[in-house]
Amino acid sequence: MNDVVSEDDARWMREAIAEARLGEGGTRPNPPVGAVLVKDGREVSRGHHARAGGPHAEAAALAAAPPGAARGATLYVTLEPCCTAGRVGPCTEAILAAGVSRVVAAVADENPRHAGRGFAALRAAGVEVAEGVCAAEARPLVEAFFKHVRTGLPWVGLKMAQSLDGAIADHAGVSKWISGPESRAAVDAMRRRADVVFVGAGTALADDPSLRRRGVPPDFAGLPGRRCVLDALGRVPPTAQIFADGHADETIVATSSLCQPERRRAWEAAGAEVWELPLLFPPGSQGARPPALDPGALLARFGAAGFLRALCEGGAGLASSLLAAGLVDELSLFVAPTVLGEGSLRTFGAVPFDLPTAPRFRFAAMERTGADLLLRLRPA
C-alpha cells in the first residue's frame, strides 16, 4: 500500500470534504461524496454527488476538468471509488480512462460490493493509492450509509431542547421557545442533512411544526426531505401544517389499526402517505401505559424506503421509547440557561429507567449556540 501522505494531502482532502457536504440530504440511498482534482499543486476541478442516478463525485470532477488535464493528476475523494456498474458506470474505469496517476481517499467503502475492490483495481492498473487521509473528519459523511448497508436501518439522530433542570415544556405545556434563534438555526442545518424528520403526535398537536427544510439553496439538486408524524390513535387533524402547507406529498403518517378509517382517508386525501405499524404497547398489555407505535418497526420502514439519516425532534414519549430500545445513534441536546421548575415536562420522563441499566452516553462534542449549549452525545 502506497500510503505516503503530506500536509498538502490533508489540505486538499478537507476541500473534498467541504465539497461532499454540498450533497448532504439529497443523495439517498447513496452517501454524499466529494472529489477534487489537483495537478502541480493547483486545483483543476471539483465535484460532488448531488443525487442518486446522477454522476458520482469522481465523474463530476473529471467531467469539469479541461480535456487532458486529468492525466498525471491526483484525485482526492472522500470515499473509496466504486468498481461496479449501477445507475452510472464504475468510477475506477473513469479514473483510469482519464489518466489520473494518484488517488487519495479518506474512507474505505464498507459496502460489500465495493469494499477494497476499488483500491485494488486502481493499484493493479498502476495508480498510486493513499488511504485514510482525514478519515475521522470524513467518516461522519458516510456513517449513515455504512449503517444502512450493514443493518438496513437509518442512522438515528435525536434532537431535544431542554431547560437547565431537564424540562422540554413548562407547567402549562408551553415549549416555544426554550432554545434561542441560534439553536433553531442549528436545527435547520440538521434537517437539511436528514432524509426524514419525525415527531410524535403530541408534539404535532402542541407545536404544529412544519418539519420542512429551511435555507436550502435554490439550486439544491437533491431529493426533498420527508417528514413523518407518529400517530397511533389518529389524533392529528388534516388541518395541521404538515398537511395544509402545500407540501403534503412530503408527509408520512405512521399509525396503527386503532386509527379510524375516516381519519386515514382524510390524511391521504390531503396528499400524505399513510403507513400502518404494529403497536409497542397494545391495549391492556402494559397496564396504564397508552398504546404506542413500535419505533423499531418505524425505522425498518424508513430503511426500506432508502432513508439513510432520520432525525427525531420529540416529544418526550417518542424520545424515551427510542432511548429505551437502544435505537439512538447520536443525541443532540440543546440546553438553555432557563429553569422551569415544578410541574414541567421532563425531557425523558415518559419511561422509567433503573440506574444499573439506564441508557448511557459519552460526550462527543460541546459547542455554544448563542446563549445555549449544544451537547452532542454518542452511546457509551
Side-chain angles (χ1 to χ4, degrees), residues 2-15:
N2 299 318
D3 288 318
V4 178
V5 298
S6 65
E7 290 184 5
D8 280 345
D9 286 335
R11 169 198 165 198
W12 289 115
M13 184 58 71
R14 291 189 177 101
E15 291 293 320

Side-chain angles (χ1 to χ4, degrees), residues 10-108:
R11 169 198 165 198
W12 289 115
M13 184 58 71
R14 291 189 177 101
E15 291 293 320
I17 291 170
E19 183 71 14
R21 291 198 179 105
L22 298 177
E24 283 190 296
T27 62
R28 67 175 189 264
N30 299 336
V33 180
V36 177
L37 188 66
V38 176
K39 190 172 185 179
D40 298 328
R42 295 186 176 185
E43 178 179 326
V44 176
S45 58
R46 63 175 61 200
H48 66 277
H49 185 46
R51 54 185 169 79
H56 287 185
E58 302 93 321
L62 292 171
R71 188 159 300 280
T74 297
L75 182 67
Y76 294 86
V77 61
T78 56
L79 181 65
E80 176 182 0
C82 66
C83 58
T84 59
R87 282 184 276 188
V88 297
C91 289
T92 51
E93 292 185 5
I95 291 168
L96 295 175
V100 171
S101 63
R102 183 171 183 253
V103 170
V104 180
V107 182

Side-chain angles (χ1 to χ4, degrees), residues 105-323:
V107 182
D109 199 342
E110 294 183 11
N111 185 339
R113 295 181 61 208
H114 305 144
R117 297 179 184 178
F119 291 146
L122 293 171
R123 289 186 173 113
V127 175
E128 181 183 344
V129 175
E131 305 175 36
V133 178
C134 299
E137 296 171 53
R139 190 170 181 85
L141 288 164
V142 292
E143 60 189 353
F145 172 72
F146 288 167
K147 181 185 177 184
H148 191 266
V149 167
R150 293 193 311 268
T151 68
L153 300 174
W155 179 272
V156 179
L158 172 59
K159 183 280 300 181
M160 302 294 281
Q162 69 169 45
S163 64
L164 278 176
D165 54 338
I168 59 172
D170 66 16
H171 65 93
V174 176
S175 59
K176 286 188 174 181
W177 296 101
I178 288 178
S179 58
E182 294 86 355
S183 294
R184 297 196 289 277
V187 173
D188 286 338
M190 293 178 186
R191 288 182 183 176
R192 288 194 294 272
R193 292 192 295 270
D195 296 313
V196 61
V197 178
F198 63 110
V199 298
T203 297
L205 289 168
D207 297 341
D208 193 21
S210 131
L211 304 179
R212 297 193 75 233
R213 293 171 171 169
R214 287 189 285 266
V216 175
D219 61 347
F220 185 73
L223 298 169
R226 302 294 298 274
R227 52 192 178 179
C228 176
V229 60
L230 280 67
D231 188 1
L233 302 179
R235 296 188 293 150
V236 181
T239 54
Q241 188 173 188
I242 56 173
F243 304 111
D245 64 359
H247 299 279
D249 59 337
E250 299 174 11
T251 300
I252 299 167
V253 184
T255 190
S256 75
S257 58
L258 299 179
C259 177
Q260 292 297 318
E262 294 80 6
R263 180 50 58 90
R264 290 195 201 195
R265 286 194 290 268
W267 291 333
E268 291 172 336
E273 184 177 354
V274 179
W275 295 351
E276 183 173 322
L277 299 180
L279 289 165
L280 187 61
F281 306 123
S285 65
Q286 295 288 328
R289 297 189 70 178
L293 296 174
D294 183 345
L298 175 72
L299 298 185
R301 286 294 297 267
F302 283 164
F307 300 153
L308 302 183
R309 194 175 290 274
L311 174 65
C312 177
E313 295 194 18
L318 178 55
S320 298
S321 68
L322 289 169
L323 287 184

Side-chain angles (χ1 to χ4, degrees), residues 297-354:
L298 175 72
L299 298 185
R301 286 294 297 267
F302 283 164
F307 300 153
L308 302 183
R309 194 175 290 274
L311 174 65
C312 177
E313 295 194 18
L318 178 55
S320 298
S321 68
L322 289 169
L323 287 184
L327 296 174
V328 175
D329 294 298
E330 182 175 56
L331 172 59
S332 298
L333 198 61
F334 292 88
V335 181
T338 304
V339 175
L340 294 180
E342 183 181 1
S344 55
L345 179 62
R346 316 316 298 165
T347 307
F348 303 110
V351 173
F353 296 109
D354 297 323

